[in-house]
Amino acid sequence: GLQDGRGPLRRYMREAALAAAADADMVLLIVDATDKRGRAPDEPDAAPLVVAGTQKPLVVALNKVDRVAKPELLPVIEAWTKAHAGIDVVPISAQTGDNVDRLERVIAEKLPESPLLFPEEMVTDRSPQFIAQEIIREQLYHQLGKELPYASAVQIETWTERKGELVIGAVIVVERESQKPIVVGRGGQRVKELGIAARAAVAQALGKPVHLTLFVKVIGQWSQAESELAKLGYKQELRRGMSG
């Protein structure tokens, strides 16, 4: 989805999505067929992605069709088909798996053949630090679920390798003092469980033992300050490059 609203973090997230759509070999737009206000081609959240993908093959997957009556669904399919020349509209149900195989075939047909861009044995072009940071962030979602504060981030502060073991110090950043206890938990239990799960996942991903220390830090209104966003890895060069 596209983040709307004010603030540099929302602007960064919006422009990152649009840049990804513009750079992709094809654009896949997943639309909730049960959302009457958000399933039309001119819906504000969808329109910029459609525009970004005008020079690329565009596929629309209408999801949750198992919960929509066919007479109600047909006009939605027709509207999307007319919205963009050469568009493919594929009704699916991710929950039941209905028509997902057809969606995969449509995507495969639209993807261009390409030579290998990286060595065959290479699985990612991201750094180990980035991988560790994303795994910790993933565990945050697993541990906190809907309790997770919107404006929360993870930053790797220290990274040392000794005797085949990685020693990592990471900081979980929130915006308000009231959010810190949510992450820490009673008696530090929640952040302890988060550290145990994240350490095991990082060790498995990087193939070596890991010692992980987590801290929780409050940086007031960090999502509203571009200098703090840059420190936490949200690069503003993207926004400047797109506007130029």
Side-chain angles (χ1 to χ4, degrees):
L2 288 178
Q3 287 290 331
D4 208 355
R6 300 177 180 177
L9 178 60
R10 289 184 180 272
R11 183 171 65 247
Y12 169 88
M13 295 172 70
R14 178 181 178 85
E15 292 174 354
L18 291 175
D23 290 342
D25 290 317
M26 63 153 291
V27 176
L28 171 64
L29 187 61
I30 300 178
V31 177
D32 184 348
T34 67
D35 183 1
K36 294 183 179 181
R37 295 175 302 172
R39 65 189 183 187
D42 57 354
E43 195 273 328
D45 197 38
L49 282 174
V50 174
V51 172
T54 52
Q55 303 302 316
K56 311 287 183 178
L58 179 62
V59 177
V60 172
L62 284 177
N63 192 26
K64 303 183 184 178
V65 295
D66 54 312
R67 296 168 54 187
V68 181
K70 185 171 289 187
E72 183 183 342
L73 191 62
L74 291 176
V76 180
I77 296 174
E78 184 178 2
W80 275 106
T81 303
K82 292 179 178 178
H84 184 54
I87 194 172
D88 278 279
V89 183
V90 184
I92 67 166
S93 170
Q95 184 170 13
T96 66
D98 185 38
N99 231 21
V100 172
D101 56 344
R102 181 188 163 205
L103 176 63
E104 292 174 345
R105 289 195 301 271
V106 169
I107 292 171
E109 289 168 0
K110 289 185 175 292
L111 288 175
E113 291 189 16
S114 170
L116 289 175
L117 301 179
F118 299 97
E120 194 167 351
E121 67 278 3
M122 186 175 179
V123 296
T124 180
D125 62 345
R126 294 291 193 171
S127 69
Q129 289 86 345
F130 177 87
I131 293 171
Q133 180 175 293
E134 289 301 292
I135 288 174
I136 296 169
R137 194 195 315 273
E138 177 188 40
Q139 292 301 323
L140 260 177
Y141 280 93
H142 288 324
Q143 295 286 332
L144 274 71
K146 293 182 179 180
E147 293 183 74
L148 179 67
Y150 167 73
S152 56
V154 176
Q155 182 180 27
I156 301 296
E157 285 205 329
T158 60
W159 184 280
T160 307
E161 187 165 359
R162 61 189 185 200
K163 298 180 180 179
E165 179 186 62
L166 277 175
V167 181
I168 304 171
V171 172
I172 300 168
V173 179
V174 294
E175 282 195 317
R176 298 194 297 270
E177 287 291 343
S178 60
Q179 296 169 340
K180 187 174 180 178
I182 297 174
V183 180
V184 174
R186 180 174 296 179
Q189 186 61 31
R190 179 169 273 169
V191 75
K192 180 180 178 181
E193 292 174 357
L194 169 64
I196 292 171
R199 181 173 68 244
V202 172
Q204 182 177 13
L206 301 182
K208 59 183 66 178
V210 170
H211 178 76
L212 175 63
T213 303
L214 293 178
F215 299 95
V216 182
K217 181 189 296 185
V218 179
I219 301 179
Q221 301 300 312
W222 70 264
S223 67
Q224 303 300 314
E226 294 197 5
S227 59
E228 294 297 338
L229 285 172
K231 291 177 185 177
L232 293 168
Y234 297 94
K235 302 298 183 183
Q236 298 305 304
E237 288 82 355
L238 170 66
R239 178 172 62 83
R240 291 195 291 269
M242 289 182 64
S243 61

